[in-house]
Each structure stands twice: as structure tokens, then as C-alpha cells.
């Protein structure tokens, strides 16, 4: 199986299920995909910030959504930005 095709397919599948970049990288690494190939695969999915905003729009802003996003492998910065932009204030 071609690692690049597998990585891209798996990254798209995980991203469509609401996974952040860290979770996608971790899953690909566990499958034996090299870090550089995983990074390239992430370029084929929507940016992490965009994916986080979709989740926040669906679940609503707030601490519960922030914890959910963090658990799904989104970065602290992306979570804070996505939740704050939807709520109109900083998360704190």
C-alpha cells in the first residue's frame, strides 16, 4: 500500500470526523507513517482552524466545547481562537 495515499485518505477520514492535527498525526504515526508524509497529508484537509470553527458552530462556544476540541487533538491556540471568535470574548 502506498503510504502517501493511505495517509491522505486516513487524514481526510479523521478530519471529517472532527479530529485535530495532533490526533491525525498521532494516528498516522501509530500506523507507521513517517512524520513528513503525515505533514503532507495534513495539507490535503481543511485547515485546523476551519475544522474547529465548524465544531464550535455545531456545539456552541464554551468551556465544554473547548475541552471537546482539545480532546480531539486541536491545538490550544486554535481552540482558544475558535471558541472566542464564536462567543465574542476570550476564553478564560
Amino acid at each position: 500500500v502506498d503510504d502517501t495515499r493511505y495517509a491522505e485518505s486516513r487524514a481526510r477520514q479523521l478530519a471529517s470526523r472532527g479530529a485535530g492535527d495532533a490526533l491525525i498525526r498521532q494516528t498516522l504515526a501509530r500506523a507507521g507513517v513517517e512524520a513528513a508524509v503525515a505533514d503532507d497529508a495534513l495539507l490535503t484537509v481543511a485547515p485546523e482552524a476551519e475544522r474547529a470553527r465548524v465544531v464550535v458552530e455545531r456545539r456552541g462556544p464554551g468551556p465544554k466545547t473547548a475541552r471537546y476540541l482539545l480532546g480531539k487533538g486541536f491545538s490550544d491556540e486554535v481552540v482558544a481562537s475558535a471558541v472566542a471568535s464564536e462567543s465574542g470574548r476570550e476564553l478564560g
Side-chain angles (χ1 to χ4, degrees):
V1 174
D2 182 5
D3 280 350
T4 300
R5 283 196 331 224
Y6 168 77
E8 289 174 358
S9 174
R10 188 72 173 127
R12 283 191 300 272
Q13 181 184 44
L14 291 166
S16 72
R17 293 180 181 169
D21 287 356
L23 179 59
I24 294 170
R25 279 190 184 96
Q26 178 185 27
T27 302
L28 292 175
R30 272 196 321 257
V33 174
E34 293 182 16
V37 175
D39 289 341
D40 289 344
L42 282 169
L43 296 174
T44 68
V45 300
E48 187 178 46
E50 186 178 314
R51 288 181 275 136
R53 275 193 296 277
V54 169
V55 173
V56 172
E57 287 172 5
R58 188 179 74 239
R59 294 176 58 98
K64 286 177 91 172
T65 299
R67 283 190 300 275
Y68 174 83
L69 288 168
L70 290 169
K72 295 289 268 178
F74 287 87
S75 71
D76 293 340
E77 297 80 24
V78 167
V79 171
S81 176
V83 172
S85 69
E86 284 296 314
S87 68
R89 60 184 172 82
E90 283 197 25
L91 187 64

